[in-house]
């Protein structure tokens, strides 16, 4: 259905998650969808995937902040409704089935269990169709969650969606650059960094991504020399240059605690070596990892103990 010219969705004033049935379907779904997009979750008590999908739907709908409603329909308790909808062409032979309604008609549908990132993408597409968007804070949370789960593609798409809405969002720029880095695409990350608006170029999120990029480039050059560097240190424990390069290589392979330990070891052996290069590199690590990263906090405590001992 062509929705051009239809009114944009407005946030719901009532409950956003409800249990529906045959008696309330017209009011809860068809009529309500003229004001707000409505997801209908057709489920059953015996359905294993439903037990995972329904909580995910509830989480995503709650995060949408009243911009979409979820109506849950138990297919076994509403067989007459299921038969009626099936006659209208809605495939309900298997569950879970999720149908999206907007302006009184079916706008989209999916069947089977989906991961949270895919459910968010489905809801975001529905909201765009209805003239709305997911709240930026929830897009950011979803992007970071996808990134932590290793779903770099979904994270990048979410960051890009944020930038379409807010071109000067530093968290989105920093996150997108890190996605390119995680995919091993340093040149594209560098090109993206050059496009960051001047207004936010020194923001902590962007600065952290910049440090991560520089360390990735340095580490790529050193990571192939791990055995050689370890051999140099075995021959001479005071080869600070080898230990410094080893720290960079370890960081490139995400061995953060070991990387920090190598730099701290240099500082213990020779405070101020090479114009304080070890400490400055460690601070660069902190910036790249993030100030609230467990590796940062652990290494910072050790650095403080060393500096003030």
């Amino acid at each position: 259905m062509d929705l051009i010219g239809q009114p944009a969705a407005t946030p719901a004033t009532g409950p956003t998650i409800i249990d529906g049935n045959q008696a309330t379907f017209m009011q809860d779904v068809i009529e309500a969808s003229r004001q707000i997009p409505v997801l209908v979750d057709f489920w059953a008590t015996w359905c294993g995937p439903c037990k995972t999908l329904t909580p995910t739907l509830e989480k995503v709908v709650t995060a949408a902040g009243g911009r979409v409603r979820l109506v849950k329909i138990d297919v076994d308790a509403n067989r007459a409704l299921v038969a009626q909808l099936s006659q209208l062409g809605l495939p309900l032979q298997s569950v879970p089935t999720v149908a999206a309604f907007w302006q009184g008609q079916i706008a989209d549908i999916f069947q089977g269990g989906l991961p949270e990132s895919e459910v968010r993408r489905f809801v975001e597409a529905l909201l765009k169709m209805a003239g709305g968007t997911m709240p930026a804070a929830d897009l950011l949370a979803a992007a970071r969650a996808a990134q932590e789960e290793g779903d770099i593609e979904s994270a990048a798409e979410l960051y890009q969606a944020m930038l379409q809405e807010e071109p000067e969002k530093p968290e989105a720029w920093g996150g997108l650059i890190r996605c390119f880095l995680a995919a091993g695409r340093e040149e594209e990350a560098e090109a993206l960094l050059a496009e960051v608006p001047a207004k936010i170029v020194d923001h902590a999120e962007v600065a952290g991504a910049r440090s991560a990029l520089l360390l990735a480039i340095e580490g790529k050059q050193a990571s192939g020399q791990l055995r050689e560097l370890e051999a140099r240190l075995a021959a001479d424990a005071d080869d600070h240059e080898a230990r410094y390069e080893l720290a960079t290589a370890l960081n490139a392979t995400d061995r953060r605690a070991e990387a920090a330990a190598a730099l701290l070891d240099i500082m213990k052996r020779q405070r101020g070596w090479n114009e304080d290069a070890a400490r400055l590199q460690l601070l660069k690590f902190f910036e790249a990892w993030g100030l609230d990263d467990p590796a940062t906090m652990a290494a910072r405590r050790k650095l403080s103990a060393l500096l003030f001992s």
Side-chain angles (χ1 to χ4, degrees), residues 47-203:
C47 168
C50 296
K51 295 175 183 177
T52 301
L53 179 63
T54 297
T56 300
L57 287 166
E58 293 175 344
K59 180 179 178 181
V60 173
V61 167
T62 299
R67 291 166 174 80
V68 64
R69 172 173 290 170
L70 174 64
V71 178
K72 298 180 287 184
I73 302 286
D74 181 343
V75 295
D76 289 333
N78 295 276
R79 294 184 183 277
L81 174 63
V82 169
Q84 184 179 0
L85 293 172
S86 296
Q87 290 177 358
L88 296 175
L90 185 61
L92 294 174
Q93 293 83 1
S94 65
V95 290
T97 292
V98 176
F101 286 78
W102 172 237
Q103 293 296 307
Q105 298 194 31
I106 298 172
D108 205 350
I109 186 172
F110 73 81
Q111 291 184 298
L114 289 181
E116 184 178 331
S117 59
E118 291 293 327
V119 172
R120 285 185 183 276
R121 192 152 33 192
F122 182 86
V123 172
E124 175 65 16
L126 176 62
L127 286 171
K128 285 183 179 179
M129 181 186 299
T133 59
M134 288 283 282
D138 295 304
L139 278 179
L140 179 59
R144 286 177 169 167
Q147 207 167 356
E148 289 176 5
E149 294 168 5
D151 188 355
I152 302 303
E153 184 177 347
S154 294
E157 289 180 3
L158 288 165
Y159 285 128
Q160 288 169 334
M162 289 176 62
L163 288 174
Q164 288 178 357
E165 299 296 324
E166 299 183 55
E168 294 184 346
K169 186 77 172 174
E171 294 87 352
W173 282 104
L176 189 55
I177 291 168
R178 289 179 186 273
C179 283
F180 280 107
L181 288 177
R185 296 156 62 180
E186 288 86 359
E187 290 185 4
E188 291 169 82
E190 192 169 8
L192 189 63
L193 183 62
E195 296 177 12
V196 174
K199 184 178 179 180
I200 60 169
V201 74
D202 292 323
H203 189 280

Side-chain angles (χ1 to χ4, degrees), residues 215-235:
L215 290 170
I217 294 171
E218 290 177 15
K220 206 167 190 178
Q221 298 168 347
S223 59
Q225 304 174 330
L226 274 172
R227 288 187 179 179
E228 178 187 336
L229 293 168
E230 288 169 347
R232 283 173 56 184
L233 284 170

